[in-house]
Amino acid sequence: MGGAFQAIGGSVMDLESNPSHLGRLTASKWELGTALHFPKIVYEDEFYGSDPSRSYNNNITETPKAVLPYMGFIAPLKQNLGIGFAVYSQGGGGGNFENLQRLSQGGKTINEILHTDIPVIGTEKRIQESIMCRFMTVKLTSGIGARFGNLSVGAGIDLVYAFMKLQKTNLDPTGSFRLPESFDYKSDSAYSYGGKIGMSYELTEKIRFAYSYTTANKLPLDGNIQVISGGGFPDQSRVSRFMIWPDRHIAGISYRTSSWILDFDIKYVPWSHGFTSSKFILEHPMLTTPLGTQTNVLQMNLRWRDQWIYSIGGEYSWSDSFRTRIGYSYGRTPLTPQSVSPILGTTTEHHLSAGIGYYLGQYAFHAALEYGFPKSLKGAKNSDWALSHSDFLIKGSEPYRLDFKKSTSVISLYIGIEKQI
């Protein structure tokens, strides 16, 4: 239903969205399923200037796969009081872009970079760059909901797990060995606590209003980093950093008849509270800036903006055993031109989905297909990504010489099964 479900209730995933619906349970239920995402990500760039021999361009298409499972159990304790727990993948992402053509920093040859005398490729000024990022969060939520007449209220406690890996590799033109400024960061397993509150109110027998608030999570992503030094040798360091996964507000209204269920939701996510910048602080200077100075801080200026998401969906019951669903959602991407890079890509904005539900005795089977329409975003010429790939060390070079953009579309398949007990 395009993500529109805030004011409906009746699913294990009420623990993720609005636990107040637990107060309306009349039977116990377990449920499990998964979301399968198949994005298509296209990254393009062009490095140009007054010297054509130093120009290059890249056009790479990646088709990663993401599997986000969930499972849980909900049950009434007594009339108008219910509890439940669920574990689910809250989010994540990343990318993997290999063999991007680059000009070496300062236009140096391989021999000058490594202080060696390698034949043939040693005189090359071109290198290859590969970027890999992985980030995931998983939540375990336990909640309770109670009903008082037309009003239901609920609360949940979240235990959050997160992990991140980031790798940037510079290689010689043959891809045989790593060059300086390559690094490999792996976080420790990060744990955090949070929670949510929700309410829902039946204005009439057919109309229900709901609201929920989920707290932010501060994720301690300290870890280890390996950096290839100027001599081509690896150096190790601990890394101190954290990430704030933002809070969330959702309001919704639903309308139901004997055959129809309709829902409209508005969601607000203040990404700017946690995704403005991210710092990796090393124990000692190991990284070289585009100006050639050494630093112990790797800073990613993300500059995400806050996001409003609007979802509308409907379900029609053809019989006691078969239902169809359709939905649409729109949310302006939180990324800005300053945010674009192969590490963090553009998000899709328009989504259209359709699904079915088949009910057989105590069991129910659900499936849905969603399409996120292509969204392209061009990077800013003064962004971190542009500046880190510009030449400040060559006399007479222009500082802003990288044009780049990234586009994303995605097909998602959702499947689930539930059983009433």
Side-chain angles (χ1 to χ4, degrees), residues 8 30 50 70 138 162 172 211 218 306 352 389:
I8 297 178
W30 62 257
S50 56
Y70 77 95
V138 177
D172 70 282
Y211 166 80
K218 184 176 180 180
D306 298 341
L352 185 64
H389 293 85

PDB file of all heavy atoms in Angstrom, residues 8 30 50 70 138 162 172 211 218 306 352 389:
ATOM      1  N   ILE A   8      -3.953   1.886  10.445  1.00  0.00           N
ATOM      2  CA  ILE A   8      -4.677   0.639  10.165  1.00  0.00           C
ATOM      3  C   ILE A   8      -4.498  -0.365  11.295  1.00  0.00           C
ATOM      4  O   ILE A   8      -5.436  -0.738  11.978  1.00  0.00           O
ATOM      5  CB  ILE A   8      -4.220   0.038   8.820  1.00  0.00           C
ATOM      6  CG1 ILE A   8      -4.570   1.005   7.680  1.00  0.00           C
ATOM      7  CG2 ILE A   8      -4.878  -1.322   8.588  1.00  0.00           C
ATOM      8  CD1 ILE A   8      -4.129   0.545   6.322  1.00  0.00           C
ATOM      9  N   TRP A  30       1.822 -14.832  14.877  1.00  0.00           N
ATOM     10  CA  TRP A  30       3.231 -14.679  14.517  1.00  0.00           C
ATOM     11  C   TRP A  30       3.314 -14.374  13.029  1.00  0.00           C
ATOM     12  O   TRP A  30       2.433 -14.733  12.249  1.00  0.00           O
ATOM     13  CB  TRP A  30       4.076 -15.895  14.890  1.00  0.00           C
ATOM     14  CG  TRP A  30       3.720 -17.199  14.222  1.00  0.00           C
ATOM     15  CD1 TRP A  30       3.029 -18.243  14.766  1.00  0.00           C
ATOM     16  CD2 TRP A  30       4.065 -17.619  12.895  1.00  0.00           C
ATOM     17  NE1 TRP A  30       2.905 -19.270  13.873  1.00  0.00           N
ATOM     18  CE2 TRP A  30       3.534 -18.922  12.717  1.00  0.00           C
ATOM     19  CE3 TRP A  30       4.761 -17.032  11.846  1.00  0.00           C
ATOM     20  CZ2 TRP A  30       3.681 -19.624  11.526  1.00  0.00           C
ATOM     21  CZ3 TRP A  30       4.911 -17.737  10.654  1.00  0.00           C
ATOM     22  CH2 TRP A  30       4.378 -19.010  10.495  1.00  0.00           C
ATOM     23  N   SER A  50      42.304  22.162 -19.394  1.00  0.00           N
ATOM     24  CA  SER A  50      42.967  22.724 -20.565  1.00  0.00           C
ATOM     25  C   SER A  50      43.879  21.711 -21.255  1.00  0.00           C
ATOM     26  O   SER A  50      44.200  21.867 -22.434  1.00  0.00           O
ATOM     27  CB  SER A  50      43.786  23.962 -20.161  1.00  0.00           C
ATOM     28  OG  SER A  50      44.711  23.627 -19.123  1.00  0.00           O
ATOM     29  N   TYR A  70      12.253  -9.726   8.438  1.00  0.00           N
ATOM     30  CA  TYR A  70      11.613  -9.358   9.697  1.00  0.00           C
ATOM     31  C   TYR A  70      10.858 -10.568  10.239  1.00  0.00           C
ATOM     32  O   TYR A  70      10.492 -11.477   9.498  1.00  0.00           O
ATOM     33  CB  TYR A  70      10.653  -8.183   9.510  1.00  0.00           C
ATOM     34  CG  TYR A  70       9.337  -8.572   8.866  1.00  0.00           C
ATOM     35  CD1 TYR A  70       8.216  -8.864   9.639  1.00  0.00           C
ATOM     36  CD2 TYR A  70       9.213  -8.661   7.481  1.00  0.00           C
ATOM     37  CE1 TYR A  70       7.008  -9.235   9.056  1.00  0.00           C
ATOM     38  CE2 TYR A  70       8.019  -9.027   6.885  1.00  0.00           C
ATOM     39  CZ  TYR A  70       6.910  -9.312   7.678  1.00  0.00           C
ATOM     40  OH  TYR A  70       5.731  -9.693   7.098  1.00  0.00           O
ATOM     41  N   VAL A 138      19.746  -2.986  12.511  1.00  0.00           N
ATOM     42  CA  VAL A 138      18.723  -3.972  12.853  1.00  0.00           C
ATOM     43  C   VAL A 138      18.136  -3.580  14.202  1.00  0.00           C
ATOM     44  O   VAL A 138      18.865  -3.179  15.111  1.00  0.00           O
ATOM     45  CB  VAL A 138      19.309  -5.393  12.927  1.00  0.00           C
ATOM     46  CG1 VAL A 138      18.243  -6.392  13.349  1.00  0.00           C
ATOM     47  CG2 VAL A 138      19.904  -5.796  11.583  1.00  0.00           C
ATOM     48  N   ALA A 162      24.100  -1.897  14.811  1.00  0.00           N
ATOM     49  CA  ALA A 162      24.563  -1.285  13.562  1.00  0.00           C
ATOM     50  C   ALA A 162      25.993  -1.718  13.271  1.00  0.00           C
ATOM     51  O   ALA A 162      26.771  -2.056  14.185  1.00  0.00           O
ATOM     52  CB  ALA A 162      24.483   0.237  13.638  1.00  0.00           C
ATOM     53  N   ASP A 172      47.341   0.725  -9.114  1.00  0.00           N
ATOM     54  CA  ASP A 172      48.079   1.063 -10.324  1.00  0.00           C
ATOM     55  C   ASP A 172      47.219   0.719 -11.543  1.00  0.00           C
ATOM     56  O   ASP A 172      46.187   0.054 -11.411  1.00  0.00           O
ATOM     57  CB  ASP A 172      49.405   0.295 -10.356  1.00  0.00           C
ATOM     58  CG  ASP A 172      49.180  -1.187 -10.597  1.00  0.00           C
ATOM     59  OD1 ASP A 172      48.788  -1.896  -9.639  1.00  0.00           O
ATOM     60  OD2 ASP A 172      49.353  -1.636 -11.739  1.00  0.00           O
ATOM     61  N   TYR A 211      -0.980   8.647  15.334  1.00  0.00           N
ATOM     62  CA  TYR A 211       0.292   9.386  15.348  1.00  0.00           C
ATOM     63  C   TYR A 211       1.306   8.578  16.142  1.00  0.00           C
ATOM     64  O   TYR A 211       0.969   7.932  17.146  1.00  0.00           O
ATOM     65  CB  TYR A 211       0.121  10.767  15.988  1.00  0.00           C
ATOM     66  CG  TYR A 211       1.451  11.419  16.322  1.00  0.00           C
ATOM     67  CD1 TYR A 211       2.206  12.056  15.344  1.00  0.00           C
ATOM     68  CD2 TYR A 211       1.969  11.341  17.619  1.00  0.00           C
ATOM     69  CE1 TYR A 211       3.424  12.623  15.649  1.00  0.00           C
ATOM     70  CE2 TYR A 211       3.185  11.910  17.936  1.00  0.00           C
ATOM     71  CZ  TYR A 211       3.922  12.550  16.941  1.00  0.00           C
ATOM     72  OH  TYR A 211       5.144  13.091  17.241  1.00  0.00           O
ATOM     73  N   LYS A 218      21.850   7.225  18.800  1.00  0.00           N
ATOM     74  CA  LYS A 218      23.258   7.568  18.631  1.00  0.00           C
ATOM     75  C   LYS A 218      24.056   6.273  18.562  1.00  0.00           C
ATOM     76  O   LYS A 218      24.114   5.518  19.542  1.00  0.00           O
ATOM     77  CB  LYS A 218      23.759   8.444  19.777  1.00  0.00           C
ATOM     78  CG  LYS A 218      25.195   8.917  19.599  1.00  0.00           C
ATOM     79  CD  LYS A 218      25.611   9.863  20.715  1.00  0.00           C
ATOM     80  CE  LYS A 218      27.049  10.340  20.519  1.00  0.00           C
ATOM     81  NZ  LYS A 218      27.473  11.274  21.593  1.00  0.00           N
ATOM     82  N   ASP A 306      16.131  17.785   5.716  1.00  0.00           N
ATOM     83  CA  ASP A 306      14.984  17.106   6.295  1.00  0.00           C
ATOM     84  C   ASP A 306      14.032  16.647   5.190  1.00  0.00           C
ATOM     85  O   ASP A 306      14.009  17.199   4.094  1.00  0.00           O
ATOM     86  CB  ASP A 306      14.258  18.034   7.268  1.00  0.00           C
ATOM     87  CG  ASP A 306      15.152  18.449   8.429  1.00  0.00           C
ATOM     88  OD1 ASP A 306      16.164  17.765   8.664  1.00  0.00           O
ATOM     89  OD2 ASP A 306      14.832  19.466   9.081  1.00  0.00           O
ATOM     90  N   LEU A 352       5.515   3.401  -6.623  1.00  0.00           N
ATOM     91  CA  LEU A 352       4.207   2.836  -6.924  1.00  0.00           C
ATOM     92  C   LEU A 352       4.244   1.352  -6.585  1.00  0.00           C
ATOM     93  O   LEU A 352       5.198   0.653  -6.941  1.00  0.00           O
ATOM     94  CB  LEU A 352       3.864   3.033  -8.399  1.00  0.00           C
ATOM     95  CG  LEU A 352       2.459   2.601  -8.849  1.00  0.00           C
ATOM     96  CD1 LEU A 352       1.393   3.448  -8.152  1.00  0.00           C
ATOM     97  CD2 LEU A 352       2.329   2.711 -10.367  1.00  0.00           C
ATOM     98  N   HIS A 389      38.876  15.161  -5.758  1.00  0.00           N
ATOM     99  CA  HIS A 389      39.347  14.665  -7.046  1.00  0.00           C
ATOM    100  C   HIS A 389      39.762  15.801  -7.978  1.00  0.00           C
ATOM    101  O   HIS A 389      39.792  15.648  -9.188  1.00  0.00           O
ATOM    102  CB  HIS A 389      38.272  13.800  -7.712  1.00  0.00           C
ATOM    103  CG  HIS A 389      38.008  12.523  -6.988  1.00  0.00           C
ATOM    104  ND1 HIS A 389      37.140  12.442  -5.925  1.00  0.00           N
ATOM    105  CD2 HIS A 389      38.517  11.271  -7.157  1.00  0.00           C
ATOM    106  CE1 HIS A 389      37.121  11.207  -5.473  1.00  0.00           C
ATOM    107  NE2 HIS A 389      37.941  10.474  -6.196  1.00  0.00           N
TER     108      HIS A 389
END
